[in-house]
Amino acid sequence: MFRDGAAGRPDKSAYAMILAFAAALRSTCLSRKVGCVIVRDAQVIATGYNGTPSKTWHPEEFPKPCPCVGGISGADLAMKYCAHAEANALAQSAYRGASTSGADIFCTNLPCIECVKLLITAGIRAIYYVHGYPDVSGLRDRYLSQAGIPTHAIAWSKIQPHLSTLARG
């Protein structure tokens, strides 16, 4: 048996983050590919990626370009065509009847303020991320602190070697 981290085997946080990056490959957003997974009791209970709701237009089919293309990240979120990965993962959890209370979320990007509000309400215990994301509201860190939800940056260097191993076959 291999222990986590032994013989090139990713530990559980790296494994969850690799799955988040795999989910991001499904993104239909035209400006940023984001993915996430929700993990409770060491099991993935939901995945999400940023994109338009199922059974609706693909962003390329809209009559005018999405404001996210060339816009300011984190600004005017209500005007964007795609739902965020975190919101989609929470919706998937609800759809399947899987409680997120006490779960952790692994996101390719630090969640925006709107997603943070949803994550707090859904009972998420901790947030893990690789890339930052702007907080134009200035509220994200305050809300997370008040709710007692820690954020943990995972270095790309912890993920990348495992992806390279996969690429080699």
Side-chain angles (χ1 to χ4, degrees), residues 84-131:
H84 283 189
E86 303 87 344
N88 277 327
L90 290 172
Q92 186 182 93
S93 294
Y95 183 78
R96 294 178 180 214
S99 173
T100 56
S101 180
D104 297 331
I105 191 164
F106 292 79
C107 308
T108 56
N109 295 73
L110 186 61
C112 72
I113 182 60
E114 295 302 319
C115 288
V116 161
K117 290 188 253 182
L118 294 172
L119 296 172
I120 291 169
T121 303
I124 293 296
R125 180 180 65 176
I127 299 170
Y128 296 81
Y129 68 96
V130 172
H131 304 297

